[in-house]
Amino acid sequence: MDKWRWGSVYFSVLGAVILWFGCWELATSYGLTGAWATNWLKLFPESMDWMCLWRGIVTFLAGLLIMWGAFRFSNVEGFGTSVIGMLMLWLVAGCDILKMICGSLSGDGAWSYSLYGFLDSYAPPYPAAIWLLPFSLVMIYFITSWDKEEEQKEMKATAGD
Amino acid sequence: MTVTSDERWDLIDKITDRTVKFGKYVRKLKDVVGELTVRPSTGIPLAIAVLFGFFSFFYTFGLNFLMMLLYPLFNEYIIPWLVLTVPGGGATLEECGVLYGILVGDPTATNPFEYFGVLTTGLYVAIAIVLPAVIAFYVILTILEDTGYMPRLVTLIDTVFHKIGLHGFAAVPMLISLGCNIPGVEATRTLETRKQRFMMMALLGVFIPCGAQLGVMLQIVPEYLGPLLLYFIICFFIAGFVLDTFIRGKSPEMLIDVPPYRAPIWRNIARKVWYRVEEFIAVAIPMVLAGVLVVNILYWVGVIDWLGTVLAPMFVGYFGVPEETAGPLVMAFMRKDVAIAQIGAIQMTVAQKIIAVTLVTIYFPCLATFLMMLKEGGVIDLLKCMGVLIVSFFVFGGLMTGIVSILGV
């Protein structure tokens, strides 16, 4: 199997997982997961606000686009669709990481910082996008591979002319 | 110095030799992503994600981070120092001198929102609440512009805006207004016809809350901010549709050049943000301080209390909010954010808080925006805007009263 076939399988599975986490966040924002959300290995935060709902919608749509694009991964449009889905996931994860960094520096309205308080801000639970981030970084390899292959094709075409 | 036609063509050849690369066009990934961004099936999900990032950054960096950093500066250092230093102070507001009352405000206040002095609440709201929100907003807006996403968003939502007689470019003043309505009104210049400019000014003034309002709304009704924003967007389009139907004028088609995606240059972003913030500091902050000064004088003279008493039956009877909200609602003309903060201090049910926040948002825009509308549209358009405003206030304010009572909030 060539790497694009592998990529197709990998991102189909990852897309499905992201889609599932999107559903999870939507359920959490409606309070359907209850205490289970936080008690289950203490991996996910329990938040029922409208930003959680919005995040859930974005994660769900990101999963859908990644999976949809992965089915025709070697095609430029399919690959582009997966890339857009991945950009959406990175955007959510980036916002969550920024929230953690700002939370650790703002000191809850007082200029009193402790090392424990600072480090504690970076401890789990994390939103789903952060857990999924390492698995999504594989896309960078495919993006650079795509660009290299396109460059080679372009050079061949120019040489042919 | 004169250049002959041949010399000019030689120069053109030299420039093209150095800058233009000839070859076969290959559709690259960047081009495909650019195309997919304006296609509804992929562009709309991405737009939802980008707007999530927009608001997430706005809340995280502007409202939570910068505000949290500035809050101790005012609450623990600047305001206590002013309370002790400005002459004419006393144990209560009644015992204080007029100058102290105007500059510092109520010495018994426990947080910066409750002083209502020009140098205390005025400076706190202007620098610790409005400015962080505006900085965060302009940072993200500039990044969207410089990466090339903004023209794509404009193209994507063009169809929706056409339903109300506007076009995709109307999204620019709309988004800018979420930071501050003043540059938002200024940005309506990009719209082609007088009808479009008037419509946009009226709709911005009524339905788009500025960054400062959003910040204070987040403190008063945090769990309902999302639904409230959704309500304002729906009202924006309903009112837009009505205005488009009744106002004569042209709504021409739009032709837009969509540039390729580019990595932003951070120095350019910093410079653009600084120019925008500088303009805001120069225009809006003096207005904010002047607004507090005028309101304080009106309070001392008793005008606001009188207006509050006169208008109270309408607010209590029609909208179902407590009598005490009449004062802040009158004050909202000068300072919407301070009015919302005042409303936060009044004992109310959640439903009443939601209605009161809605009313303040739909109410007259702040004085500075009002002046900008006068400058951009003239007296006639300003008067028309006021007409739209008054009708919208009763229609959409009353509608919200009905919605919260039906939903049993």
Side-chain angles (χ1 to χ4, degrees):
Chain A
M1 253 200 320
D2 72 345
K3 68 178 172 191
W4 295 103
R5 188 71 61 83
W6 274 113
S8 175
V9 174
Y10 179 79
F11 287 106
S12 300
V13 175
L14 186 65
V17 173
I18 294 169
L19 193 80
W20 187 84
F21 275 110
C23 294
W24 167 278
E25 281 187 328
L26 286 173
T28 306
S29 68
Y30 278 108
L32 298 178
T33 52
W36 196 62
T38 39
N39 289 344
W40 190 64
L41 294 176
K42 298 203 181 300
L43 289 179
F44 305 104
E46 186 186 18
S47 54
M48 288 168 61
D49 58 358
W50 63 282
M51 282 301 272
C52 180
L53 175 73
W54 200 345
R55 186 196 284 116
I57 293 169
V58 176
T59 313
F60 177 84
L61 291 171
L64 205 65
L65 288 183
I66 292 166
M67 208 164 64
W68 183 22
F71 292 144
R72 47 205 175 101
F73 205 60
S74 53
N75 172 290
V76 67
E77 294 223 348
F79 183 57
T81 308
S82 284
V83 169
I84 286 186
M86 209 52 91
L87 287 173
M88 288 165 65
L89 186 79
W90 289 341
L91 196 69
V92 175
C95 290
D96 289 334
I97 291 170
L98 182 75
K99 195 175 176 182
M100 268 198 287
I101 295 169
C102 289
S104 72
L105 297 175
S106 63
D108 280 336
W111 287 348
S112 53
Y113 301 97
S114 65
L115 183 66
Y116 177 76
F118 175 76
L119 294 174
D120 193 43
S121 315
Y122 295 96
Y126 304 127
I130 294 183
W131 290 112
L132 294 164
L133 187 66
F135 303 101
S136 71
L137 295 177
V138 178
M139 184 58 98
I140 294 172
Y141 166 72
F142 280 94
I143 292 172
T144 49
S145 296
W146 188 280
D147 284 344
K148 271 182 196 165
E149 284 180 20
E150 287 300 315
E151 238 169 66
Q152 282 167 359
K153 273 185 205 169
E154 202 179 343
M155 278 167 71
K156 271 183 193 171
T158 317
D161 288 341
Chain B
M1 193 181 111
T2 52
V3 183
T4 64
S5 180
D6 287 342
E7 283 172 334
R8 196 171 290 163
W9 278 111
D10 284 343
L11 192 63
I12 291 168
D13 283 342
K14 275 179 192 166
I15 293 169
T16 47
D17 281 346
R18 289 179 66 175
T19 54
V20 179
K21 198 174 147 195
F22 294 97
K24 216 172 184 178
Y25 172 70
V26 182
R27 210 158 147 245
K28 289 184 180 167
L29 182 64
K30 202 168 73 169
D31 304 320
V32 176
V33 170
E35 285 166 27
L36 290 171
T37 314
V38 289
R39 202 177 289 172
S41 59
T42 41
I44 290 172
L46 185 66
I48 293 170
V50 169
L51 289 176
F52 171 82
F54 197 110
F55 279 98
S56 188
F57 182 84
F58 181 73
Y59 291 128
T60 305
F61 184 72
L63 302 185
N64 292 337
F65 180 59
L66 292 179
M67 273 185 202
M68 280 289 188
L69 282 183
L70 290 169
Y71 179 80
L73 180 73
F74 277 86
N75 197 40
E76 290 168 25
Y77 301 100
I78 295 175
I79 293 179
W81 178 76
L82 283 167
V83 169
L84 295 173
T85 312
V86 175
T92 61
L93 188 60
E94 286 75 25
E95 292 173 19
C96 298
V98 175
L99 187 70
Y100 188 91
I102 289 172
L103 295 180
V104 177
D106 188 356
T108 59
T110 52
N111 72 64
F113 271 124
E114 294 172 358
Y115 284 95
F116 292 109
V118 176
L119 299 177
T120 49
T121 305
L123 213 56
Y124 171 72
V125 170
I127 292 172
I129 291 192
V130 179
L131 197 59
V134 168
I135 290 173
F137 184 82
Y138 284 140
V139 166
I140 201 80
L141 186 74
T142 311
I143 291 173
L144 289 184
E145 281 174 352
D146 281 23
T147 49
Y149 184 71
M150 207 61 184
R152 287 175 172 82
L153 185 68
V154 164
T155 312
L156 194 70
I157 57 177
D158 186 55
T159 317
V160 181
F161 276 96
H162 261 292
K163 306 270 183 217
I164 59 166
L166 295 168
H167 55 60
F169 263 121
V172 176
M174 197 176 163
L175 280 173
I176 291 175
S177 286
L178 283 167
C180 176
N181 282 4
I182 303 164
V185 171
E186 215 172 0
T188 55
R189 284 181 200 172
T190 53
L191 303 171
E192 276 93 353
T193 62
R194 192 177 168 191
K195 175 191 172 178
Q196 288 181 323
R197 282 196 293 273
F198 164 71
M199 274 180 67
M200 204 59 216
M201 270 197 296
L203 294 172
L204 288 183
V206 182
F207 299 109
I208 306 294
C210 64
Q213 273 177 273
L214 284 172
V216 189
M217 278 159 80
L218 194 69
Q219 288 183 355
I220 297 174
V221 279
E223 66 274 38
Y224 293 99
L225 188 63
L228 271 172
L229 286 178
L230 190 67
Y231 178 73
F232 293 136
I233 290 170
I234 293 168
C235 294
F236 179 96
F237 282 98
I238 294 172
F241 183 76
V242 173
L243 286 177
D244 182 41
T245 311
F246 288 103
I247 295 172
R248 276 182 294 176
K250 286 180 184 169
S251 300
E253 292 294 323
M254 165 189 85
L255 194 66
I256 181 175
D257 179 34
V258 180
Y261 276 124
R262 285 197 180 97
I265 299 166
W266 297 106
R267 191 189 287 177
N268 288 357
I269 288 184
R271 203 174 289 167
K272 273 172 93 171
V273 170
W274 169 243
Y275 287 146
R276 285 172 163 169
V277 171
E278 197 181 22
E279 194 186 336
F280 175 82
I281 291 170
V283 178
I285 288 187
M287 282 287 193
V288 168
L289 296 178
V292 176
L293 179 69
V294 172
V295 169
N296 280 1
I297 292 169
L298 292 176
Y299 249 122
W300 280 88
V301 176
V303 173
I304 290 193
D305 277 345
W306 175 79
L307 273 172
T309 315
V310 171
L311 298 173
M314 180 189 75
F315 289 122
V316 178
Y318 185 69
F319 297 113
V321 289
E323 204 176 313
E324 298 84 30
T325 51
L329 280 166
V330 172
M331 187 198 199
F333 175 56
M334 295 292 178
R335 293 287 319 285
K336 279 197 176 192
D337 40 13
V338 173
I340 295 182
Q342 269 190 322
I343 282 168
I346 299 169
Q347 285 293 318
M348 281 190 282
T349 62
V350 178
Q352 286 173 327
K353 277 185 183 174
I354 292 170
I355 298 165
V357 166
T358 307
L359 292 179
V360 175
T361 305
I362 302 177
Y363 200 64
F364 286 91
C366 69
L367 183 66
T369 310
F370 216 70
L371 293 174
M372 188 55 84
M373 280 178 165
L374 183 69
K375 188 181 153 216
E376 293 295 316
V379 181
I380 305 284
D381 275 3
L382 181 69
L383 291 173
K384 281 198 232 166
C385 279
M386 281 174 69
V388 174
L389 244 144
I390 292 165
V391 173
S392 302
F393 182 73
F394 285 100
V395 172
F396 295 108
L399 189 65
M400 180 52 98
T401 310
I403 289 171
V404 290
S405 69
I406 288 168
L407 293 177
V409 177

